Each structure stands twice: as structure tokens, then as C-alpha cells.
Amino acid sequence: MPHLQPAHVLEEFASFLQNDVRAEIDDEFVDGQVGSMSSTMRYLSRQLRQKHEVTVRQRDSLLEGLAAIEQDCDNPAVVESVTAAQERIERTPAEESTELEPVLVSTCNDVLETIDAELEGDDARTAREPLYDFLRVRVEGQLEMLGRDAP
């Protein structure tokens, strides 16, 4: 069975309810309930699409940050941690935002822990800096999902 895209499936069900099912209902209350279900499905579809878009932005931001650390840091343990993080992210399908988001957070945390264990002072601050963009993108995406503007 091919992978179903939940957002697409919900949109299709919403259209079916709105266009086909409601046309066959002659009870006003039931018609309203079916219309409400259709609206809810469309809302959920938009939420899933938005969550996917936000997660892809987070992925791109983290990969950029990891590449910057890899380029600028010469500590072997940090570089090894960054390489492992990049590989883990690349192995996780980008279209599976429910699987990808926890991978992004945990790999970022792993790299931050390695930086904190291996580097001190300005070296640690400089190495952590590219990951702050990922964290900013993550917070902004969460605010966007809540319908709020970023600070």
C-alpha cells in the first residue's frame, strides 16, 4: 500500500463531504453537522501542511548550522558529533515531519552537549552560535503554528 499523505486524504474527505454527501442530505441539522465536519477536516489538513513546512524549514536551518560548525571548528570530537548528526538527519525522511522533528531536536542537543563537553569560553560560544539560528527558526515556527507573530 503506498504511503498516504494525511493532509491530502483529509482534504479529499472534506471535499467529498462538502460536494457529494451534503447534496444528498435533506435534514438541516445533519447538513450543518456534515458541513462542520468538512470544515474541521480542511482545518486539520492545513495544520498538517503547515507543520510539515515548519519542520522542513527547521531541517534546512539545522543542516546549515551543522555545516557552518563543521567548516569553522577544528575539534575532532565536535566535528565527529556534527557528522553523526548530519547523517542521522539525512537518513530521516523529510516528508515524515512527525519522525523528523524529534530527530532534529535530539541531534541539536547532542551536538550542543558535545560542544559544551569539548570546548570552553569563546570557542564554545562560537561553535554554538550556528545552532541558535535553528532554535530561532524552531520557536518562530511554533509561534506561527499557534497563529502568533514571531518576537
Side-chain angles (χ1 to χ4, degrees):
M1 184 166 128
H3 173 71
L4 297 177
Q5 296 176 351
H8 178 73
V9 170
L10 285 171
E11 187 62 40
E12 289 296 315
F13 275 129
S15 293
F16 173 70
L17 286 171
Q18 187 68 29
N19 300 329
D20 299 328
V21 174
R22 284 186 81 186
E24 299 299 320
I25 296 174
D26 59 2
D27 182 285
E28 188 176 327
F29 176 77
V30 175
D31 180 68
Q33 294 303 306
V34 171
S36 177
M37 285 182 0
S38 175
S39 294
T40 299
M41 287 183 178
R42 279 203 168 87
Y43 170 79
L44 292 173
S45 175
R46 283 191 306 274
Q47 289 296 104
L48 287 172
R49 288 181 202 282
Q50 185 178 22
K51 180 171 179 46
H52 175 72
E53 291 167 5
V54 166
T55 304
V56 168
R57 284 197 312 256
Q58 290 177 36
R59 178 184 187 273
D60 294 345
S61 174
L62 183 54
L63 287 173
E64 286 175 21
L66 292 171
I69 294 170
E70 186 177 44
Q71 179 181 352
D72 297 337
C73 185
D74 57 2
N75 181 287
V78 173
V79 172
E80 183 179 318
S81 178
V82 165
T83 301
Q86 290 167 323
E87 290 171 359
R88 187 172 172 207
I89 293 167
E90 293 294 337
R91 284 192 313 265
T92 305
E95 54 279 342
E96 296 293 329
S97 57
T98 56
E99 293 177 28
L100 180 59
E101 190 171 26
V103 168
L104 297 175
V105 172
S106 67
T107 55
C108 181
N109 286 339
D110 291 347
V111 173
L112 285 170
E113 286 174 10
T114 303
I115 290 169
D116 289 343
E118 295 293 325
L119 302 174
E120 295 179 356
D122 285 342
D123 291 338
R125 183 188 54 74
T126 301
R128 281 191 301 264
E129 208 166 288
L131 297 179
Y132 295 155
D133 284 336
F134 162 71
L135 297 172
R136 180 187 48 74
V137 167
R138 180 165 168 69
V139 168
E140 288 173 358
Q142 289 173 338
L143 290 171
E144 183 182 313
M145 292 286 296
L146 294 171
R148 296 183 175 174
D149 293 331

